[in-house]
Amino acid sequence: MRGGARAFWENGAMDMPEFLHAIPKVSLHLHLMGSVQARTVVDLATKHGVPLPEYDEPEDLYDYPDIYKFLHMYDNSALAVIDREDFHRLAYETLTDAAAHNVRYREMFFNPTTHMAAGVSYETAVDGLIDGMRDAQTDHGIECRLIAAVNRMETPELAVTMVETMLEHPRDEVIGIGMDYAEAEFPPERFWKAYRMAGDAGLHLTAHSSEDAPPRNIETCLDLLGCERIDHGYHVVESEAIMQRCVDEQVIFTCTPVSTAWVYFGNDLDNHPIKTMAARGIKLMLDCDDPPMFKTDPSKDYVLAYEHMGFGVSDFRRFMLNGIDGCWVTDDTKARWRSEFTAEFDALAAKID
Ligand code: ADE
Ligand code: ZN
């Protein structure tokens, strides 16, 4: 591994937060626009003359009472990302930050139609992101692939257009589609056509599901849309039958404690459904969703899950392996990562106080 992130514990014992920072990670649930530092939003808004809400410190921009206001800020930031080098900057910065938390591989959501609404072409966005991903890999050793996410608050027709645009401009780095924005009033079945088109073209499929809606959305995503993973899925705990099915079929859930405790679960991590999901045998991994926008980072979600959900070393080892199983990489790569990551994880675990 490159960089100096390891130095502070190299000669001695470490506590649990240090351990959780140090362990190797894959990241399967992170949104590009949610991962932009507030000062970068201010820089780009200044560069392009894009208005922002009033603020004293840039971080004040990231303060909102509910998901709709959060998404409003998310879209406002996106209006300030115009040039290919802006996209390079966003990808490079979020991956540099991830590498400092020992993230080795990320599959990152971005919203093509959000950028296209700001007048940016799909190719400009995607090629700028790929530029940043390549530089981050060279400088920090972190690998990244892209998932184009359907904004479910827009029309099914626009989602089809998004997939058509992707297929007209194929890039090796763009490996799947997802679905995000607010779920409650925009159920997944609206998007069956876009998912069918993407699946037929060989793209991987995932969707935010049952984040803020009944567990039947999970079955819709698995059976109608053909999803290989479920992003969030917390309301699965409300259906014994669907939960058992997901356990039996070893469906991978990508869960984000901090961002969803704040929005949906009364900011109560101690009673977050992730605890029950793990106890019932759901195959889940942890990630950080929109880190600066929810005042978290790739290690902090793990640390808070440790402090509030009672997870121990063996749980985090399982979550790490679940994440590897969920990656859209070859079986050979997964086998190599399983052996490399577990060796590193176990050596670190031996140093815990
Ligand atoms: N970014 C876009 N949609 C999101 C969602 N539903 N949850 C978290 N971050 C998002
Ligand atoms: Zn998300």
Side-chain angles (χ1 to χ4, degrees):
M1 194 195 74
R2 279 161 253 214
R6 261 189 203 159
F8 68 97
W9 62 78
E10 233 153 29
N11 298 320
M14 57 176 92
D15 62 20
M16 200 61 185
E18 287 166 343
F19 168 74
L20 292 171
H21 178 277
I23 54 176
K25 300 173 183 71
V26 298
S27 162
L28 302 181
H29 190 149
L30 179 129
H31 305 260
L32 173 75
M33 282 317 305
S35 74
V36 184
Q37 296 295 335
R39 60 183 176 278
T40 301
V41 172
V42 169
D43 275 0
L44 294 179
T46 306
K47 174 180 171 189
H48 294 295
V50 171
L52 292 173
E54 281 190 18
Y55 62 88
D56 290 326
E57 297 298 326
E59 287 68 28
D60 300 346
L61 293 168
Y62 287 169
D63 191 12
Y64 12 74
D66 59 43
I67 179 129
Y68 296 96
K69 296 275 176 6
F70 154 72
L71 289 169
H72 188 73
M73 186 60 221
Y74 182 99
D75 287 342
N76 193 156
S77 308
L79 293 174
V81 191
I82 305 293
D83 302 329
R84 180 165 168 161
E85 60 262 30
D86 301 339
F87 286 90
H88 173 289
R89 176 173 176 181
L90 299 196
Y92 187 81
E93 286 184 359
T94 185
L95 292 171
T96 299
D97 183 55
H101 289 272
N102 295 298
V103 175
R104 305 291 161 76
Y105 174 75
R106 169 171 285 168
E107 291 170 7
M108 178 162 69
F109 297 115
F110 75 114
N111 292 104
T113 59
T114 300
H115 299 298
M116 286 152 77
V120 175
S121 74
Y122 177 79
E123 307 94 282
T124 297
V126 92
D127 290 333
L129 293 175
I130 291 169
D131 293 341
M133 286 155 52
R134 290 196 179 136
D135 285 349
Q137 182 158 6
T138 303
D139 294 350
H140 306 296
I142 181 170
E143 216 178 317
C144 184
R145 297 290 177 268
L146 294 170
I147 304 172
V150 169
N151 175 347
R152 67 193 322 148
M153 297 169 80
E154 296 173 331
T155 64
E157 290 74 24
L158 192 61
V160 168
T161 303
M162 182 193 93
V163 175
E164 285 169 349
T165 307
M166 292 171 71
L167 300 182
E168 279 162 25
H169 305 283
R171 300 287 186 272
D172 289 345
E173 291 82 356
V174 182
I175 60 173
I177 69 164
M179 186 193 304
D180 56 8
Y181 283 73
E183 178 185 13
E185 292 177 39
F186 301 94
E189 56 270 23
R190 299 171 74 235
F191 300 98
W192 66 271
K193 205 181 266 185
Y195 272 73
R196 182 136 333 153
M197 195 181 284
D200 287 349
L203 289 164
H204 290 285
L205 308 172
T206 188
H208 285 45
S209 171
S210 206
E211 177 185 14
D212 182 25
R216 84 174 106 78
N217 280 10
I218 293 173
E219 292 207 302
T220 305
C221 288
L222 295 175
D223 298 332
L224 180 67
L225 303 190
C227 289
E228 301 155 74
R229 300 194 297 243
I230 294 295
D231 302 312
H232 298 302
Y234 311 117
H235 291 271
V236 73
V237 299
E238 291 160 17
S239 165
E240 194 53 43
I242 297 174
M243 184 143 64
Q244 192 57 51
R245 172 194 171 172
C246 291
V247 171
D248 292 345
E249 294 180 12
Q250 302 195 24
V251 177
I252 309 264
F253 285 58
T254 70
C255 298
T256 67
V258 173
S259 66
T260 51
W262 173 83
V263 179
Y264 299 119
F265 300 108
N267 215 3
D268 185 1
L269 275 167
D270 300 80
N271 285 312
H272 197 295
I274 291 172
K275 256 169 93 166
T276 308
M277 291 162 69
R280 286 299 315 277
I282 291 279
K283 196 165 177 181
L284 66 87
M285 59 83 64
L286 300 179
D287 206 348
C288 57
D289 215 5
D290 307 280
M293 290 195 81
F294 287 113
K295 301 179 176 39
T296 184
D297 64 46
S299 305
K300 190 170 170 187
D301 266 81
Y302 284 43
V303 171
L304 292 179
Y306 160 69
E307 289 173 350
H308 292 269
M309 297 181 186
F311 295 134
V313 171
S314 62
D315 297 303
F316 287 102
R317 194 177 196 272
R318 192 169 69 252
F319 300 156
M320 176 186 78
L321 291 170
N322 292 345
I324 294 173
D325 284 351
C327 290
W328 294 333
V329 297
T330 64
D331 288 344
D332 284 353
T333 301
K334 285 188 201 184
R336 180 165 55 80
W337 286 351
R338 268 189 214 109
S339 109
E340 289 173 1
F341 280 41
T342 48
E344 204 174 322
F345 184 103
D346 292 343
L348 290 163
K351 295 187 177 188
I352 299 172
D353 274 336

